[in-house]
Amino acid sequence: MPAADLPVCRAREVVGGGGAVVRIGELSERTGTPRRLLRYYEEQGLIAAARTPNGYRDYDERFVDRVLS
């Protein structure tokens, strides 16, 4: 998904989606996947992060299972 199409996150909820989100550090800890590899997955379009106004990556909770698969 192109960056312009990603939803904007506020208060740790995806606007329009209402689902739970996790930051890259939490996703890394929960999956045992290095942050750099998660960024690579994002670059390849395998997972997508919404960006907060300050630039943090927020991933939908469903990506925990996707990374573990």
Side-chain angles (χ1 to χ4, degrees):
M1 182 180 320
D5 295 336
L6 294 174
V8 174
C9 289
R10 292 189 184 89
R12 308 270 295 156
E13 254 184 44
V14 178
V15 174
V21 296
V22 294
R23 293 260 164 88
I24 192 168
E26 183 179 350
L27 183 60
S28 175
E29 288 178 19
R30 290 174 62 183
T31 62
T33 305
R35 293 175 189 198
R36 179 64 198 116
L37 187 53
L38 293 171
R39 291 184 194 105
Y40 175 78
Y41 290 164
E42 185 180 347
E43 290 170 8
Q44 297 304 308
L46 301 172
I47 60 176
R51 293 295 186 119
T52 61
N54 59 2
Y56 290 151
R57 289 173 168 88
D58 278 345
Y59 296 91
D60 190 285
E61 181 77 24
R62 74 179 186 269
F63 290 128
V64 173
D65 291 332
R66 182 176 290 179
V67 172
L68 289 173
S69 299

